[in-house]
Amino acid sequence: MNYVRPWLPKTKLRFIPLVLGSALFLWTLLPYPRPPLHGRPRPGFRYPHERHPRPRPYPPPHPHTIWQERAEQVKGAFLHAYDGYLKYAASHDELLPLSNAAVDNFNGWGLSLVESLDTMWIMDLQEDFMDALPVIANMTFDLPSTEYAPFFETVIRYLGGLLSAYSLSGEPMLLARADDLGRMLLPAFNTPHGLPTYAVNTVTGATRQGWSSDVLWAEALSCQLEYKYLAHLTGRKEYFEHVERIMDLMALAEVKDGMFPTKWKMDTAEPANDQFSVGAFADSAHEYLLKQWLLTGQSESKARSLYMKSASAIINHLLYLTPNRQLLYVTDISGSSRWPSHIFEHLSCFLPGLLALGAHTLPLSDDDRQLHMWAAEGLANTCWITYADHKSGLGPDEMVMEDWDEDPSGYKGRWVDHVKAWKRKGSPGGVPPGLQGIETKARGQRDYTARRGTYLLRPEAVESFCLLWRLTRNETWRDRGWAVFESIERETKTDSGYSTLGSVEVSPAPKMNSMPSFFLAETLKYLYLLFSEEELIPLEHWVFNTEAHPLPIFEWADWEKQRYHIN
Ligand SMILES: *[C@@H]1O[C@H](CO)[C@@H](O)[C@H](O)[C@H]1NC(C)=O
Ligand SMILES: *[C@@H]1O[C@H](CO)[C@@H](O)[C@H](O)[C@H]1NC(C)=O
């Protein structure tokens, strides 16, 4: 049969609709110029570039695998916590998960909502994301004249959250709010050398000191990712200049062997103590050195060389082994004798992920790369053991690690010395000290005691498991992350959310009336990314700020390099 459509000419012209149709279809496949959310490009996916993102038109991938099923369970946990927050604490900062009430502990602007935006986007909760936008659009970041916004927390949580949600969704209003807030916080830099003051009133610009007149290293060096990205998006020079001035101070500071102290003098910008640490006073400063270099397309060599210095100081001076199980841990040192405190904080469990990220990106020698990875894996093992040792399945917030007997020097457990001795012996067993398989121990038999036995829903251990899984593809980290999630579900779930715990030693553990916003921003996000079968937020395109808000890696244009004197 020779059927010919009557309305098409029989000549070659009849192919025109087909050709045009195919061209149109292929055009829809062109990548939109945003960093990919997914590790693998998928046909048909386009970032919503208009004001109203549409739901994704396809079912979740790999629904059949056990890991995707587990990722869905994490999403369920997020929805449980977020719904409880909306029901009992909307427009306030955090939910009180036992009394079903609210608390305003970070400026009262609705912190948990802002910190949940990117998590919702990543978990494909588009409707909840859209519902939050009118509330954000309304935000004015006002404060009564007697109250002050803590600079560090406001930057990493609010500013980081808004910028991340903007970069994922392309919603311009989120950038406008980030720009508002970024500008309102600038008076914090009006100090003799530009080190940020502890807190600022966003309306009057008045500033206030914290409990100490000195500046913590973490507070001075944990605003560069946010402000540099904001400078890149807005072209506002002052954003870049204020935060880079602090980097210049660090590059010129007289600091021995890369051991940047935890406190700095506001009036002279000189070291104010001789403590070197990766704990609470310093943690994210180490992180932002490496991550600034990564975020700006590996263009800022100043940041890179500062990280290389601080990381080798950590490895050479802060890593110790316990005598019994040979647990590798990181502590802090002080004084001219560099005396170790043997205190190990849960907060420091971010370090294995950071070291692994550095080992995979920095120009290190093969030996150094291996040393950084050994340190990363050994430390993450210890973080895991401090969870597995306890009946609740969760780890204490702060520990004192056992010292070596008859060791007046205090240095006998130093890890690098043990690694050197092991190498001299010909590397017996092929596994360096601190990385052997480790058995769990009951109370009273452990090589550490809890200094603070609480569990605060903190992210650092699962953050490192997530990064190590991404970088090594060793399933052990996923298995451990799953065990942590099961313990969180069993021990911390309440009718309206999840609660911190008074003690990890027993099960059921005693609950406390608090659900920090970082549980929504960080802990559940990292668990979701750890289990998801899609490689969401691939590390070659995104950098997580210290509150787990991903920012897209970008490159400075030539005109920006000239404008900001970047070389
Ligand atoms: C925004 O603010 C206005 C004025 O205060 C208020 O009437 C409105 O309900 C707010 N909208 C949202 C979504 O919070
Ligand atoms: C995976 O990691 C665990 C914990 O560090 C280690 O014991 C195991 O040997 C690793 N497996 C592989 C295949 O490297």
Side-chain angles (χ1 to χ4, degrees):
M1 196 166 88
N2 191 2
Y3 178 76
V4 176
R5 289 183 188 86
W7 62 88
L8 284 178
K10 258 177 113 175
T11 64
K12 282 179 186 159
L13 288 177
R14 71 180 188 276
F15 292 114
I16 287 176
L18 181 70
V19 169
L20 288 180
S22 311
L24 191 66
F25 172 71
L26 289 173
W27 178 78
T28 64
L29 298 185
L30 283 179
Y32 185 72
R34 261 181 219 295
L37 178 69
H38 302 262
R40 292 177 297 277
R42 286 178 319 170
F45 181 80
R46 286 159 68 211
Y47 282 84
H49 44 85
E50 304 293 40
R51 291 185 64 81
H52 298 291
R54 281 156 297 155
R56 295 183 194 171
Y58 43 79
H62 314 292
H64 53 281
T65 73
I66 184 158
W67 290 110
Q68 195 59 39
E69 172 60 33
R70 289 173 174 182
E72 292 302 311
Q73 289 195 44
V74 177
K75 187 193 287 194
F78 174 86
L79 282 172
H80 175 67
Y82 186 71
D83 288 346
Y85 163 74
L86 286 185
K87 187 165 175 196
Y88 298 110
S91 88
H92 296 282
D93 286 341
E94 288 176 351
L95 169 74
L96 299 177
L98 295 184
S99 56
N100 294 342
V103 60
D104 283 327
N105 42 3
F106 292 96
N107 314 332
W109 300 331
L111 178 65
S112 293
L113 186 89
V114 174
E115 289 227 89
S116 294
L117 289 171
D118 55 1
T119 308
M120 292 192 280
W121 187 272
I122 289 166
M123 290 182 174
D124 202 12
L125 299 169
Q126 305 269 334
E127 266 181 48
D128 302 82
F129 182 89
M130 296 306 295
D131 288 347
L133 293 184
V135 185
I136 309 279
N138 248 8
M139 286 188 175
T140 54
F141 310 113
D142 278 345
L143 282 177
S145 62
T146 51
E147 285 179 26
Y148 295 82
F151 176 77
F152 164 78
E153 302 285 359
T154 306
V155 168
I156 63 168
R157 294 169 184 247
Y158 282 103
L159 190 55
L162 290 168
L163 285 170
S164 181
Y166 166 71
S167 65
L168 289 163
S169 69
E171 165 56 59
M173 177 275 291
L174 294 166
L175 174 58
R177 289 295 79 75
D179 192 20
D180 292 348
L181 181 59
R183 235 178 318 175
M184 293 167 103
L185 294 173
L186 285 181
F189 295 108
N190 293 340
T191 59
H193 294 269
L195 292 170
T197 339
Y198 168 72
V200 54
N201 181 287
T202 43
V203 180
T204 64
T207 57
R208 188 170 74 78
Q209 279 184 1
W211 47 269
S212 153
S213 62
D214 298 325
V215 185
L216 298 182
W217 196 45
E219 301 199 346
L221 274 175
S222 306
C223 53
Q224 281 73 11
L225 291 182
E226 294 79 4
Y227 272 104
K228 284 185 176 178
Y229 180 48
L230 194 55
H232 178 62
L233 292 174
T234 61
R236 289 189 207 284
K237 209 173 170 184
E238 63 271 30
Y239 290 155
F240 184 89
E241 287 176 344
H242 280 299
V243 301
E244 187 66 1
R245 198 173 162 202
I246 303 170
M247 293 296 289
D248 289 335
L249 285 175
M250 293 303 139
L252 294 172
E254 293 197 11
V255 167
K256 218 164 172 251
D257 303 335
M259 293 192 275
F260 294 92
T262 54
K263 287 185 181 178
W264 295 71
K265 290 186 190 134
M266 184 67 94
D267 48 355
T268 60
E270 286 167 346
N273 71 3
D274 53 13
Q275 188 196 31
F276 180 55
S277 166
V278 297
F281 292 176
D283 48 8
S284 47
H286 298 281
E287 196 181 337
Y288 274 35
L289 294 179
L290 178 67
K291 289 184 173 180
Q292 268 176 87
W293 177 66
L294 293 174
L295 182 72
T296 59
Q298 310 195 348
S299 63
E300 296 184 13
S301 52
K302 190 192 302 164
R304 184 191 69 200
S305 72
L306 286 170
Y307 174 77
M308 306 253 279
K309 277 189 205 163
S310 79
S312 54
I314 292 169
I315 289 175
N316 287 320
H317 299 286
L318 298 189
L319 300 191
Y320 276 77
L321 287 176
T322 59
N324 189 328
R325 280 187 288 179
Q326 306 245 307
L327 296 181
L328 176 58
Y329 63 96
V330 59
T331 188
D332 52 288
I333 56 175
S334 53
S336 52
S337 61
R338 297 173 187 171
W339 184 262
S341 74
H342 299 293
I343 289 173
F344 173 44
E345 299 171 51
H346 184 287
L347 278 175
S348 306
C349 285
F350 81 96
L351 182 65
L354 184 71
L355 287 173
L357 192 59
H360 282 81
T361 50
L362 290 165
L364 295 171
S365 69
D366 287 349
D367 276 0
D368 278 344
R369 188 181 313 284
Q370 180 156 69
L371 197 63
H372 285 231
M373 274 315 286
W374 282 341
E377 289 178 34
L379 285 168
N381 274 340
T382 304
C383 293
W384 159 246
I385 278 291
T386 67
Y387 278 60
D389 272 351
H390 290 88
K391 285 219 175 72
S392 64
L394 297 164
D397 202 46
E398 206 173 299
M399 291 143 277
V400 185
M401 310 301 281
E402 200 174 280
D403 203 352
W404 294 59
D405 284 341
E406 295 151 30
D407 176 25
S409 72
Y411 308 132
K412 215 166 158 183
R414 197 155 55 192
W415 183 64
V416 277
D417 302 335
H418 287 265
V419 173
K420 277 183 201 143
W422 170 79
K423 279 191 173 170
R424 271 199 305 274
K425 279 190 236 152
S427 311
V431 182
L435 276 88
Q436 296 90 350
I438 297 160
E439 283 181 22
T440 57
K441 297 263 189 206
R443 184 179 204 164
Q445 296 159 10
R446 297 178 198 133
D447 30 14
Y448 60 85
T449 51
R451 193 161 179 253
R452 241 183 287 160
T454 51
Y455 172 72
L456 303 181
L457 294 169
R458 285 196 201 279
E460 291 79 16
V462 293
E463 168 183 351
S464 281
F465 297 172
C466 179
L467 287 166
L468 281 165
W469 155 247
R470 281 285 177 91
L471 295 166
T472 68
R473 294 283 149 180
N474 181 337
E475 290 253 352
T476 303
W477 304 112
R478 272 185 149 181
D479 295 336
R480 291 174 175 179
W482 176 245
V484 173
F485 179 70
E486 284 189 305
S487 300
I488 289 175
E489 281 287 309
R490 186 182 63 245
E491 303 290 336
T492 75
K493 195 166 189 168
T494 73
D495 290 343
S496 59
Y498 293 81
S499 72
T500 54
L501 301 177
S503 165
V504 293
E505 200 67 71
V506 289
S507 174
K511 294 188 171 73
M512 299 196 295
N513 196 14
S514 154
M515 184 178 85
S517 70
F518 54 66
F519 180 66
L520 300 165
E522 302 190 69
T523 314
L524 292 177
K525 186 186 287 144
Y526 281 124
L527 284 167
Y528 185 78
L529 294 175
L530 174 60
F531 303 148
S532 174
E533 288 290 22
E534 289 182 283
E535 198 188 318
L536 293 164
I537 315 293
L539 295 175
E540 61 267 37
H541 295 295
W542 297 88
V543 170
F544 292 92
N545 90 339
T546 189
E547 192 75 3
H549 297 304
L551 303 176
I553 290 175
F554 64 87
E555 287 193 20
W556 294 114
D558 287 340
W559 68 265
E560 288 174 304
K561 286 186 182 167
Q562 277 176 17
R563 186 174 165 84
Y564 303 133
H565 311 288
I566 297 168
N567 46 42

